[in-house]
Amino acid sequence: MHRAAQQYTGPALLCRRCTVKPDHACSAPGSSRLDALLRLVRRFSGFSLCGVATFGGGDEPIKLEPTQPSDIHDALSLLIARARLSQSPLLIQEATEPLSCFAGYPLRGETADCLGVLYVADTTPRSIDADLHQSLQDIAASAAQILTLSHAKAEETLLALAIQGSGTGVWDRDLSTGRIHYSAAWKSMLGYAANEVSNRIEDAFARIHPDELEQVKQTMQAHISGQTEQYQVEHRLRCRDGSYKWVCSRGKVVSRDASGNALRMLGITTDISTLRSLSERLQHNVELITQLTDQVPGVLFQFCSQTDGNGYFTYLSAGVRDLFEVTQEQLLQNPKLLDSCVHPDDLEVFNQSRAQALRDVCIWHVEYRVQLPVQGLRWHLGEARPQRKADGSVVWHGMVTDITERKRFERELHEFASMDALTQLSNRRVFMDYLETEQARVQRRDLSTSSLLMCDLDHFKLVNDRWGHGVGDRALRHFSNILRSQLRASDLAGRIGGEEFAVLLSGAGSFPARDFACRVQHALANQPLRVDSEAIHLTLSIGITQLSPQDATPDNALSRADKALYRAKQNGRNRVEIN
């Protein structure tokens, strides 16, 4: 495009939008001062086109005001974009039509961001000598300052709008004079008009509630002396009507002298009355709940953990005799008696929970068993909240309750969810989960193999038809008891459906699995189901397969065991077939 160009290279900045303000009507920030500069540029440079282009976000095209012919508009847009990408002025003595010459001076702020471009151009040949170039650079520096100040003012306006109505006010304290300046929002927050609050620090302290005054002074002095990173404290301030409002004050020293003495401190004050009121209501609810729980059977206690690792009870409720079968006096004199009540298998977990709660100064919560002389095995729940004292000790306020019935109920629920109600064997869901786990162990080579047996009571429908479903249920329970008696601790049997059962022999190959199947058949043959004076002889067909690492899912092994069971049925029943 250009036949000759002089460019000062440097770091480039990309732009997406550029709005060009011409010399006669500049509407950029600080436009009146920019207009004066542009009139000066045009007067002594003699260029017919001059202006300041400022930049913003978005994808809008360059706009020239007033509207320029399209060829001039396009040429200026490209050259301004090039000038913005440079750290130094872009000087073009000879350019393609319609422009004959162009000079663009990037306007950069303190952060080196390009705020705009001061440009001069003409459609007739003109030269830019050293004096003119230096003058334009000086004017560009002034224009950059104008834009920087204008942007800063705009940001301050946005900040003020953000703070306005947020329940937050700003304060500025001069530590050398003891004067403090408050924003209008700060004064309004307490109900004061703009001229009703003095800037004396003594008056500022007088507005603080007496109960928090000393804490506020100490916290502020700690920050001023450099002991803390920032100043932050919650306290009450007196409003214009005499009432008090809870606020949170935050601040920071922003200026110190060469000796490190604080000179200036800036901060904000936020109205937290609503939040504080909510907190107080919650605290009231906590106290109410505490009073109610005092009536619940259990042991209420207060325990002090000392810094040397020892501890002692300072309070025990009368329920200690029911829960631990010891007296209050015994535990007050010897707190280690509590450890002797804890079940040996749970003592490590019990002690670890106490140690962790003490180390982290967090809520203690543990469920554990106790072995008592009279009541035997019981489940307890221990909970406590810590409170650290000035001497480093921690006081625990807590409660121990008996949860034996809850644990029994949980166990029954678990059994109900995992066991077949009629046979008390695992139900299909639990058995399939266990089979999937076993299959994964075989695939990982944790086990060389395991055997899966599918069992079906022969002619079970005839039992139901002849003796009724009640006897049929007894037959299923009878077989389940026999099957359970033959299992090892590592084996699992489950009722898959109807009269069909499955057995997983962990780590067993085909020969041990066949021996197991034969033992079950013989036991069933030797122990007929007796109904009144009649003996009902049951027989069993069994299909066996081994879990294989090549099986993609447990369904593969189930399918093979089903096929083996089908062959046993086809070949006369009361048989064992291996697939």
Side-chain angles (χ1 to χ4, degrees):
M1 170 181 176
H2 305 288
R3 295 192 295 272
Q6 179 185 358
Q7 180 174 347
Y8 296 81
T9 60
L13 294 174
L14 298 178
C15 70
R16 301 181 64 188
R17 177 187 174 201
C18 174
T19 302
V20 180
K21 306 299 181 181
D23 58 331
H24 75 285
C26 182
S27 57
S31 58
S32 60
R33 286 176 289 174
L34 287 177
D35 286 342
L37 286 177
L38 293 177
R39 286 194 298 270
L40 180 62
V41 170
R42 187 170 186 180
R43 186 180 305 117
F44 73 77
S45 70
F47 280 76
S48 60
L49 299 173
C50 60
V52 171
T54 57
F55 306 99
D59 298 315
E60 297 180 14
I62 294 175
K63 296 172 63 177
L64 296 180
E65 302 171 7
T67 303
Q68 299 286 354
S70 60
D71 53 350
I72 294 179
H73 178 280
D74 294 343
L76 278 176
S77 298
L78 291 174
L79 292 172
I80 290 171
R82 286 185 59 190
R84 184 191 181 188
L85 294 175
S86 174
Q87 291 283 2
S88 303
L90 174 66
L91 305 178
I92 300 177
Q93 300 287 5
E94 298 179 5
T96 56
E97 294 182 355
L99 299 179
S100 294
C101 58
F102 174 87
Y105 296 82
L107 307 179
R108 301 195 178 277
E110 295 178 355
T111 61
D113 292 336
C114 187
L115 305 177
V117 172
L118 170 68
Y119 69 91
V120 294
D122 212 318
T123 56
T124 60
R126 290 186 178 275
S127 61
I128 301 177
D129 56 24
D131 290 340
L132 178 57
H133 174 63
Q134 184 60 50
S135 298
L136 291 174
Q137 281 189 307
D138 294 341
I139 293 174
S142 298
Q145 291 179 356
I146 293 173
L147 290 181
T148 299
L149 292 174
S150 298
H151 288 189
K153 185 176 181 180
E155 290 178 357
E156 290 179 359
T157 301
L158 289 176
L159 179 60
L161 290 174
I163 293 177
Q164 185 178 1
S166 66
T168 298
V170 179
W171 49 266
D172 184 349
R173 180 181 175 186
D174 187 334
L175 294 163
S176 60
T177 64
R179 315 293 276 181
I180 184 168
H181 171 75
Y182 302 100
S183 68
W186 192 98
K187 299 173 184 178
S188 175
M189 180 175 62
L190 299 180
Y192 290 102
N195 60 347
E196 291 182 324
V197 178
S198 74
N199 58 2
R200 298 174 64 251
I201 190 62
E202 294 81 7
D203 295 337
F205 286 138
R207 280 187 291 270
I208 300 174
H209 193 282
D211 291 349
E212 291 95 44
L213 178 59
E214 191 60 31
Q215 178 193 7
V216 171
K217 287 184 175 180
Q218 291 178 359
T219 305
M220 182 171 289
Q221 186 57 43
H223 175 65
I224 291 174
S225 61
Q227 300 177 37
T228 58
E229 287 293 323
Q230 66 175 5
Y231 160 74
Q232 178 172 332
V233 65
E234 293 184 5
H235 60 91
R236 284 168 287 182
L237 281 177
R238 189 178 66 249
C239 300
R240 187 178 184 276
D241 61 5
S243 64
Y244 281 92
K245 178 175 291 188
W246 276 101
V247 299
C248 178
S249 292
R250 301 180 180 90
K252 190 175 182 68
V253 172
V254 296
S255 177
R256 295 181 183 271
D257 62 17
S259 301
N261 298 314
L263 299 177
R264 185 185 180 192
M265 189 173 177
L266 292 176
I268 60 173
T269 300
T270 303
D271 181 355
I272 60 169
S273 299
T274 302
L275 183 62
R276 191 80 183 194
S277 176
L278 176 61
S279 177
E280 290 175 353
R281 290 199 299 272
L282 289 176
Q283 181 61 33
H284 173 73
N285 291 338
V286 170
E287 293 174 356
L288 176 61
I289 292 173
T290 301
Q291 294 174 2
L292 292 174
T293 56
D294 284 346
Q295 308 304 317
V296 178
V299 179
L300 298 176
F301 68 88
Q302 187 179 70
F303 187 85
C304 179
S305 298
Q306 297 174 299
T307 55
D308 60 1
N310 294 318
Y312 57 91
F313 286 102
T314 56
Y315 173 78
L316 286 164
S317 66
V320 68
R321 183 181 294 273
D322 294 330
L323 261 68
F324 293 101
E325 297 183 1
V326 295
T327 65
Q328 297 163 280
E329 292 74 17
Q330 287 175 312
L331 269 184
L332 288 172
Q333 294 175 6
N334 182 15
K336 294 187 181 296
L337 280 177
L338 183 64
D339 293 348
S340 65
C341 297
V342 178
H343 193 283
D345 293 345
D346 292 352
L347 185 58
E348 182 178 359
V349 172
F350 180 79
N351 288 331
Q352 286 179 350
S353 68
R354 291 194 300 182
Q356 180 179 352
L358 179 60
R359 182 179 63 251
D360 300 337
V361 192
C362 63
I363 294 175
W364 175 61
H365 178 102
V366 65
E367 296 180 0
Y368 61 98
R369 291 169 294 175
V370 293
Q371 188 69 49
L372 304 177
V374 177
Q375 301 176 62
L377 185 67
R378 308 291 293 181
W379 274 97
H380 285 178
L381 167 64
E383 293 182 297
R385 291 179 177 271
Q387 181 182 6
R388 186 176 291 281
K389 295 296 185 179
D391 61 0
S393 63
V394 177
V395 176
W396 301 89
H397 308 273
M399 185 175 187
V400 178
T401 53
D402 189 306
I403 58 171
T404 304
E405 286 303 306
R406 195 198 81 189
K407 283 294 186 178
R408 180 187 62 79
F409 183 64
E410 289 175 354
R411 183 175 64 254
E412 291 176 353
L413 283 178
H414 175 74
E415 293 174 354
F416 179 78
S418 60
M419 288 187 176
D420 176 65
L422 177 64
T423 64
Q424 296 301 298
L425 296 176
S426 297
N427 59 27
R428 180 182 181 89
R429 178 186 60 81
V430 172
F431 185 86
M432 293 303 296
D433 288 344
Y434 191 83
L435 177 60
E436 185 174 354
T437 301
E438 191 77 0
Q439 177 69 47
R441 295 178 64 195
V442 171
Q443 289 176 334
R444 293 195 307 266
R445 308 293 182 178
D446 294 344
L447 294 172
S448 58
T449 186
S450 291
S451 292
L452 175 64
L453 290 73
M454 295 297 293
C455 310
D456 189 88
L457 290 173
D458 298 327
H459 303 297
F460 183 73
K461 184 177 183 300
L462 297 179
V463 175
N464 280 331
D465 291 345
R466 180 176 177 180
W467 284 281
H469 290 283
V471 173
D473 289 346
R474 289 179 57 187
L476 292 175
R477 286 195 292 268
H478 177 70
F479 167 69
S480 298
N481 292 333
I482 292 175
L483 179 61
R484 189 184 295 107
S485 68
Q486 302 296 323
L487 296 173
R488 302 170 300 172
S490 59
D491 300 333
L492 183 71
R495 184 186 181 193
I496 303 303
E499 68 273 18
E500 191 174 44
F501 297 80
V503 180
L504 183 60
L505 303 178
S506 181
S510 58
F511 290 113
R514 185 177 183 86
D515 290 342
F516 173 86
C518 292
R519 288 198 304 272
V520 173
Q521 286 181 324
H522 292 160
L524 187 62
N526 294 331
Q527 301 175 48
L529 174 66
R530 296 195 175 276
V531 179
D532 297 329
S533 60
E534 188 173 358
I536 301 176
H537 292 275
L538 302 173
T539 61
L540 185 69
S541 296
I542 303 175
I544 302 175
T545 189
Q546 276 73 54
L547 304 186
S548 171
Q550 284 72 43
D551 289 338
T553 67
D555 292 336
N556 300 121
L558 281 173
S559 177
R560 293 194 301 273
D562 274 333
K563 291 179 180 178
L565 175 62
Y566 180 76
R567 287 202 307 271
K569 292 283 190 181
Q570 292 295 104
N571 293 334
R573 292 184 170 82
N574 198 24
R575 296 174 57 86
V576 177
E577 294 286 345
I578 300 177
N579 188 353

